[in-house]
Amino acid sequence: MNGAQALMRTLVDAGVTVCFTNPGTSEMHFVAALDAEPRMRAVLTLFEGVATGAADGYARMTDRPAATLLHLGCGLGNGLANLHNARRAHVPLLNIVGDHATHHAPLDAPLQSDIETVARAVSGWWRTCRHPQELGQLAAQALAAAQQPPGQVATLILPADVSWGEGAEPAPPPPPLAPMPVEDDRLEQVARALASGEPAALLLGGRALRAAAQLDAARVAAACGARLLAETFPARIERGAGLPPLPRLAYLAELAGTQLRGLRHLVLVGARAPVSFFAYPGKPGSLVPPGCTVHTLAAPQEDAADALQRLAQRLRAPARAPMVWPLRQVPRPRGRLSPASVARAVAHVLPPDAILVDESQTTGVLLPHFTRTAPRHDVLTLTGGAIGQGLPNAVGAAIACPGRPVLALVGDGAAMYTPQALWTMAREGLHVVTVVLNNRAYAILNLELRRTGAVGDGRRARAQFDLAQPPLDFVALAQGMGVPAQRVATAEALQEALARALAAPGPHLIEAVLPSTMRGVRLRLLPYVLGLLPSLPAAVARGVQRAVAP
Amino acid sequence: MNGAQALMRTLVDAGVTVCFTNPGTSEMHFVAALDAEPRMRAVLTLFEGVATGAADGYARMTDRPAATLLHLGCGLGNGLANLHNARRAHVPLLNIVGDHATHHAPLDAPLQSDIETVARAVSGWWRTCRHPQELGQLAAQALAAAQQPPGQVATLILPADVSWGEGAEPAPPPPPLAPMPVEDDRLEQVARALASGEPAALLLGGRALRAAAQLDAARVAAACGARLLAETFPARIERGAGLPPLPRLAYLAELAGTQLRGLRHLVLVGARAPVSFFAYPGKPGSLVPPGCTVHTLAAPQEDAADALQRLAQRLRAPARAPMVWPLRQVPRPRGRLSPASVARAVAHVLPPDAILVDESQTTGVLLPHFTRTAPRHDVLTLTGGAIGQGLPNAVGAAIACPGRPVLALVGDGAAMYTPQALWTMAREGLHVVTVVLNNRAYAILNLELRRTGAVGDGRRARAQFDLAQPPLDFVALAQGMGVPAQRVATAEALQEALARALAAPGPHLIEAVLPSTMRGVRLRLLPYVLGLLPSLPAAVARGVQRAVAP
């Protein structure tokens, strides 16, 4: 068999049965190999950023890699931003990047570029295959690398002549790699710090944000009076009824500072030590307060869930988390669309087992608050800060979990990075409801302009954040790509549109037109920002009571 | 002044007065500096691939660099494909890529990535500035590098603290660099080869494709009986009435082989030795026929125009090119849309001094044939093969040449790579008429699948090239981004829509729906492919006569 056929067999034998594609001439033999391998589902995208973001979303929901099929260095380049997000999400992902035939490369044809250099920027493993005979083995190595805990991006560069060359053999699947257990010594150290009675918090990230681990973390917290926090941008966090209060560390460093103030021990569980998202003049980058010791219970590649279970046992924690959110439907919102009423509408309609892809930026700041008593769901967030992740992630999540409704909440600016994802949703008939939160601005940059201390008379600078001229019509854009769409301007209309769209199969887009935040965004943001403060333990308790009270 | 202000001053003092932007938090001080510098036009784009492609288009039309403003490594990544095209176009271009503050980088915040590694893949010069005091000088160095003949991509990485840090000074503009003159010895060698009487051709590229150089090349060809050819994908080629027959080397290697067959001397004038765009099993990559000697009259960084003039003198060439295309309007096309009728419609309406951005792929194969007697115009093509160049190039060309109409012809697949360019056209009120040639397929890949010898039963493979399900509605997409649009399905309607759109100011989009080329593309392509054959000298002469005859 030829290289492409052996590669295809190696992939599907190892359980990689979805490939997000945007092929070109150098990938034709891999495309042809699809005909003989019905186990592989090839999902065509119109832009590589959709393919890579979809593979990320798929991996977040399955913990298994999807493949991407990309056209040379430029195709990889187009997919780079969402590969960056995937890298930060610590997901397994395998890029197959076609290249010119090995004998063609020295000719420096127009599409020739240095693929390995680009691959290196986002991949934990990258290699160019030189002979069809080694392709099967190299593919298995790539898969092993991709699945090395906690998961990483692996990039296999596939010259056209390796793809069409004969004499290739499929390789057996690589052995599964479990995350490493945490050593007893380390567990003991953390247990002592927590038992000291000094102010402490557990910062959960990665796999520690799955339901069982959260509940064990809540038992630990109850046993020693520690606070619980989740990392700011989780790859996947389970949320809703039956789970303990677990506020996310705020994006704004000022607020995160409030959340962490006074801590003497910060225990990392699958998370990294918190740092400010950006630097600001005269402000510290690390968010760890002075006098606070950072302990690592479990690094991202270690078994955080097991460590939390053992820690709970060691601390003689209660058998069950003492406080979890009840199932309670948020009342229907009324009136103008605002960050609060959008969050209420979403929380009101959220069906059980939904996947909420959250790239809602400034408008979404109250979502965690209102959805905490919703039916159990997963939330995927913008792990690496490279916008354009939401719609592609939704594609991948929907393909990963065909029975589950996917709700993607994306800001207008972010939606315009990878709008092509809508076409793939229509083509594949995916049950994805997209809400574009259209405030006609890069609203967050209005805030950031002031936070960085940059000044000017403002008119020419502020024009750089203004998306109102001309206004984007997301209904037209969606319909142009085959996705039914509608526009709403009130909370009631949003809630009704959401309910209808979630009940019908297939994709749907709702454009929620919000008041422009071009002016006074700071003032308007303030209440939502304060809404984050229930992340402090006392306030959390009050929040729970509020949520339980009628 | 702070770093951003010094950088801004250095740029505008050096004549860099356009910046295509998509800023984020780390670029806020550069954005703020816009307020104090009205000489800088900041053109906001919704996606970095639009910014970089626009800067490429701007440089092709002005021979001067525009700047881009990109947000960290991911922003640079999103712009990578069009930077690749710019690199292949040999244009001057300056990327300003914001980065985290130098003290923030070690914290590995979510958006942290290895920017230099990504920059290296496309830039001839790249550097990270570490101190505000050195920013002005480094910016001047970057501009000097960008403008080093024939032009290249320079990338200046600008950490946030260098941008906001005080004590910076603007630097004076770098001295202009002229292309190097060709040495007499080399000119003499080429003259002797051409005077030998053996079959010879001049392959023109780069600046040798401007009108004056073409006419001198035609004089040389007349003096020694050599053929003239243009490189396959020129950055910019002047065309139309008053210019000599100058067929482009065909994209399909089989046809290029026919064009080059029998040559004993191939003289490169600003072009590179021809190679096959892709490799195919069992076919050679170099297109230079056996027994043919390749001579370099002028490398891309050398003064090709001057060399041609001197060569014409040395060969005692006639004072004028003996054969140039007359101004002759192609008759109005009728009936179904096809590659031929689309080309006729464009040729029929093309106004004087138009800029034709050609990313029309399979549908555009007859354009050069029909537009050769149109009024004088410039054509910009897909230099690097990374699709998604057309719409952004049109943005940049329109900003470079406000008085000239821009006509962008793009395939449906290519248009979906960077559709966000339409919004910038509307926002800036650019006079760009976009024709999307919608055959609902990646038609070229149908052809390439066979050319690469890949086989299968075809259904699952061919689905990878099919854009019909769901059909893309480019009228809706354009309207969604504020660009008036209409759909046409006949040649008459296309011609009328084109005439109307070209006569009105501002942007307009025309969706030309062509028969799907999902089946039988090869057969259907054959006549057009044969249409390329008038590139052989005798056929060219016949073509000229045909064009002159009523």
Side-chain angles (χ1 to χ4, degrees):
Chain A
M1 63 178 66
N2 69 26
Q5 290 156 343
L7 172 57
M8 190 72 77
R9 271 278 292 284
T10 305
L11 294 180
V12 293
D13 287 351
V16 179
T17 54
V18 173
C19 182
F20 297 97
T21 68
N22 188 276
T25 300
S26 39
E27 294 78 42
M28 283 300 105
H29 286 81
F30 190 89
V31 167
L34 287 169
D35 282 324
E37 188 45 87
R39 287 179 293 170
M40 178 63 86
R41 179 174 181 182
V43 178
L44 180 62
T45 66
L46 296 178
F47 181 70
E48 292 88 347
V50 178
T52 55
D56 176 19
Y58 178 93
R60 293 189 196 193
M61 293 311 303
T62 59
D63 298 323
R64 287 187 295 113
T68 66
L69 180 65
L70 308 174
H71 185 42
L72 296 113
C74 294
L76 178 61
N78 283 332
L80 213 59
N82 272 330
L83 290 172
H84 170 86
N85 289 325
R87 176 170 79 91
R88 292 296 185 186
H90 294 302
V91 293
L93 193 159
L94 174 64
N95 296 311
I96 300 163
V97 183
D99 193 5
H100 284 308
T102 50
H103 52 83
H104 201 63
L107 299 178
D108 198 29
L111 267 167
Q112 179 72 33
S113 70
D114 181 353
I115 304 179
E116 287 199 3
T117 285
V118 178
R120 181 178 301 131
V122 288
S123 313
W125 182 102
W126 64 93
R127 198 75 67 82
T128 302
C129 186
R130 303 269 169 215
H131 304 286
Q133 294 78 357
E134 70 185 30
L135 181 55
Q137 283 302 331
L138 218 50
Q141 275 180 40
L143 284 174
Q147 293 175 93
Q148 191 174 305
Q152 61 183 345
V153 175
T155 301
L156 177 61
I157 301 166
L158 181 60
D161 55 337
V162 174
S163 199
W164 74 53
E166 292 293 331
E169 293 286 342
L177 283 172
M180 284 191 298
V182 169
E183 301 141 32
D184 287 325
D185 282 4
R186 187 136 40 99
L187 200 99
E188 186 55 33
Q189 270 175 17
V190 170
R192 281 196 199 134
L194 289 175
S196 70
E198 293 179 322
L202 278 73
L203 180 61
L204 310 187
R207 298 286 178 98
L209 295 174
R210 305 292 167 85
Q214 286 186 32
L215 290 165
D216 283 332
R219 293 170 55 217
V220 168
C224 61
R227 303 174 202 169
L228 285 190
L229 288 166
E231 61 187 350
T232 310
F233 291 109
R236 174 181 170 191
I237 177 170
E238 290 193 64
R239 297 198 78 245
L243 290 177
L246 178 55
R248 276 156 61 185
L249 198 65
Y251 164 77
L252 296 178
E254 300 88 323
L255 290 166
T258 309
Q259 289 175 297
L260 298 171
R261 191 173 298 150
L263 287 182
R264 300 303 302 271
H265 301 282
L266 181 63
V267 177
L268 306 177
V269 193
R272 298 171 56 213
V275 300
S276 175
F277 204 88
F278 290 107
Y280 302 94
K283 294 192 181 145
S286 166
L287 299 177
V288 179
C292 176
T293 307
V294 177
H295 310 261
T296 299
L297 175 63
Q301 72 276 16
E302 294 175 322
D303 194 338
D306 171 70
L308 284 167
Q309 208 170 27
R310 285 159 57 205
L311 185 61
Q313 199 167 17
R314 161 69 181 75
L315 291 170
R316 296 196 175 77
R320 302 177 59 132
M323 194 161 67
V324 296
W325 294 109
L327 180 65
R328 183 68 49 106
Q329 193 176 31
V330 169
R332 283 187 63 179
R334 292 170 194 284
R336 289 201 323 159
L337 282 178
S338 66
S341 64
V342 166
R344 282 175 186 273
V346 169
H348 182 79
V349 300
L350 206 66
D353 228 17
I355 300 167
L356 202 161
V357 179
D358 180 7
E359 199 184 15
S360 55
Q361 321 287 15
T362 49
T363 307
V365 72
L366 283 182
L367 270 171
H369 178 77
F370 287 107
T371 53
R372 58 194 181 180
T373 62
R376 192 74 68 86
H377 60 281
D378 282 287
V379 177
L380 316 185
T381 80
L382 181 56
T383 46
I387 63 175
Q389 154 269 355
L391 298 177
N393 255 206
V395 166
I399 284 174
C401 307
R404 299 178 63 177
V406 177
L407 178 54
L409 303 172
V410 289
D412 49 340
M416 287 309 293
Y417 264 65
T418 45
Q420 305 93 339
L422 293 167
W423 183 81
T424 298
M425 291 178 195
R427 181 175 163 101
E428 300 288 330
L430 305 179
H431 188 25
V432 178
V433 178
T434 298
V435 180
V436 176
L437 301 157
N438 190 359
N439 59 14
R440 298 180 176 162
Y442 289 126
I444 199 164
L445 294 184
N446 254 308
L447 183 71
E448 294 287 18
L449 183 69
R450 300 203 206 170
R451 292 180 75 216
T452 57
V455 287
D457 78 45
R459 198 181 52 77
R460 303 180 85 241
R462 278 178 196 283
Q464 291 291 306
F465 320 139
D466 179 15
L467 306 184
Q469 180 47 41
L472 287 157
D473 176 346
F474 285 96
V475 173
L477 290 170
Q479 289 170 344
M481 287 182 270
V483 171
Q486 70 187 103
R487 183 173 297 111
V488 298
T490 67
E492 291 89 338
L494 173 60
Q495 182 255 307
E496 280 160 27
L498 273 171
R500 255 199 317 275
L502 285 164
H508 197 94
L509 181 140
I510 301 165
E511 177 179 351
V513 179
L514 284 110
S516 167
T517 42
M518 283 307 293
R519 283 167 201 286
V521 64
R522 203 177 195 180
L523 267 180
R524 208 170 283 141
L525 205 65
L526 201 64
Y528 317 132
V529 148
L530 294 175
L532 284 171
L533 290 180
S535 50
L536 300 179
V540 162
R542 283 198 301 278
V544 175
Q545 282 155 13
R546 272 206 306 276
V548 172
Chain B
M1 64 178 65
N2 71 25
Q5 290 157 343
L7 172 57
M8 189 71 78
R9 271 279 291 284
T10 305
L11 296 180
V12 293
D13 286 351
V16 179
T17 54
V18 173
C19 183
F20 297 98
T21 68
N22 188 274
T25 299
S26 39
E27 293 79 42
M28 283 300 104
H29 285 81
F30 189 88
V31 166
L34 287 169
D35 281 324
E37 189 45 88
R39 287 179 293 170
M40 178 64 87
R41 179 174 181 182
V43 179
L44 180 63
T45 67
L46 296 179
F47 181 70
E48 292 88 346
V50 178
T52 55
D56 176 19
Y58 178 93
R60 294 190 195 192
M61 294 311 302
T62 59
D63 298 323
R64 288 187 294 114
T68 67
L69 180 65
L70 308 174
H71 186 42
L72 297 112
C74 294
L76 178 62
N78 283 332
L80 213 60
N82 272 331
L83 289 173
H84 170 86
N85 288 325
R87 177 170 78 92
R88 292 297 185 186
H90 295 303
V91 293
L93 194 160
L94 174 64
N95 296 310
I96 299 163
V97 184
D99 193 5
H100 284 307
T102 49
H103 53 83
H104 201 63
L107 299 179
D108 198 29
L111 267 167
Q112 180 71 32
S113 71
D114 181 354
I115 305 180
E116 287 199 2
T117 286
V118 178
R120 181 179 300 132
V122 288
S123 313
W125 183 101
W126 64 94
R127 197 78 66 81
T128 302
C129 186
R130 303 269 168 214
H131 304 286
Q133 292 79 357
E134 71 184 30
L135 181 54
Q137 284 301 332
L138 217 52
Q141 275 180 41
L143 284 174
Q147 294 176 90
Q148 191 172 306
Q152 61 183 346
V153 175
T155 300
L156 177 60
I157 300 166
L158 181 60
D161 55 337
V162 174
S163 199
W164 74 52
E166 291 294 330
E169 293 287 340
L177 284 172
M180 282 192 297
V182 168
E183 301 140 32
D184 287 325
D185 283 4
R186 188 137 37 100
L187 200 100
E188 186 56 33
Q189 272 177 17
V190 170
R192 281 196 200 133
L194 289 175
S196 70
E198 293 180 323
L202 278 73
L203 180 61
L204 310 187
R207 299 285 178 98
L209 295 173
R210 305 290 167 88
Q214 286 187 32
L215 290 165
D216 284 331
R219 293 167 58 214
V220 168
C224 62
R227 302 174 202 168
L228 285 189
L229 288 166
E231 60 187 350
T232 309
F233 291 109
R236 174 180 169 191
I237 177 171
E238 291 193 62
R239 296 199 76 246
L243 290 177
L246 178 55
R248 276 156 59 183
L249 199 65
Y251 164 78
L252 296 177
E254 300 87 324
L255 290 165
T258 310
Q259 290 176 295
L260 298 170
R261 191 173 297 150
L263 286 182
R264 301 302 302 272
H265 301 282
L266 181 64
V267 177
L268 306 177
V269 192
R272 299 172 55 212
V275 300
S276 175
F277 204 88
F278 290 107
Y280 303 94
K283 295 195 180 142
S286 167
L287 300 177
V288 178
C292 175
T293 307
V294 176
H295 310 261
T296 299
L297 174 63
Q301 71 277 17
E302 293 174 322
D303 194 340
D306 170 72
L308 284 167
Q309 208 170 26
R310 286 158 58 202
L311 186 61
Q313 198 167 18
R314 159 69 181 74
L315 291 170
R316 297 195 176 76
R320 302 179 57 131
M323 195 162 68
V324 297
W325 295 109
L327 181 65
R328 183 67 50 103
Q329 193 175 33
V330 168
R332 283 188 61 178
R334 293 170 194 283
R336 288 201 323 157
L337 282 178
S338 67
S341 64
V342 166
R344 282 176 187 272
V346 169
H348 182 79
V349 300
L350 206 66
D353 227 18
I355 301 168
L356 202 161
V357 180
D358 180 8
E359 200 183 15
S360 55
Q361 323 286 16
T362 48
T363 307
V365 71
L366 283 182
L367 270 172
H369 178 76
F370 287 108
T371 52
R372 58 194 180 179
T373 63
R376 192 75 68 84
H377 60 280
D378 282 287
V379 178
L380 315 186
T381 81
L382 181 56
T383 46
I387 63 174
Q389 155 268 354
L391 297 179
N393 254 207
V395 166
I399 284 174
C401 307
R404 300 178 61 179
V406 178
L407 178 54
L409 303 172
V410 290
D412 48 340
M416 287 309 293
Y417 265 63
T418 43
Q420 304 93 339
L422 293 167
W423 183 81
T424 298
M425 291 179 196
R427 178 174 164 102
E428 300 287 329
L430 305 179
H431 188 26
V432 177
V433 178
T434 299
V435 180
V436 176
L437 302 156
N438 190 358
N439 58 15
R440 297 180 177 163
Y442 289 125
I444 198 163
L445 295 183
N446 254 306
L447 182 72
E448 294 287 20
L449 184 69
R450 302 204 204 168
R451 292 180 77 217
T452 57
V455 288
D457 78 45
R459 198 182 51 80
R460 304 181 85 243
R462 278 179 196 279
Q464 292 290 306
F465 320 138
D466 179 14
L467 305 184
Q469 181 45 44
L472 287 157
D473 176 346
F474 285 95
V475 173
L477 289 170
Q479 289 171 345
M481 287 181 269
V483 172
Q486 70 187 105
R487 184 172 297 111
V488 299
T490 66
E492 291 89 338
L494 173 60
Q495 180 254 308
E496 280 160 27
L498 273 172
R500 255 200 316 275
L502 285 164
H508 197 93
L509 182 140
I510 300 164
E511 177 178 351
V513 179
L514 284 110
S516 167
T517 43
M518 283 308 293
R519 284 167 199 286
V521 67
R522 203 178 198 180
L523 266 180
R524 209 170 282 142
L525 205 64
L526 202 64
Y528 317 131
V529 148
L530 293 174
L532 285 171
L533 290 181
S535 50
L536 299 180
V540 164
R542 283 199 301 277
V544 176
Q545 283 156 11
R546 271 205 306 274
V548 172

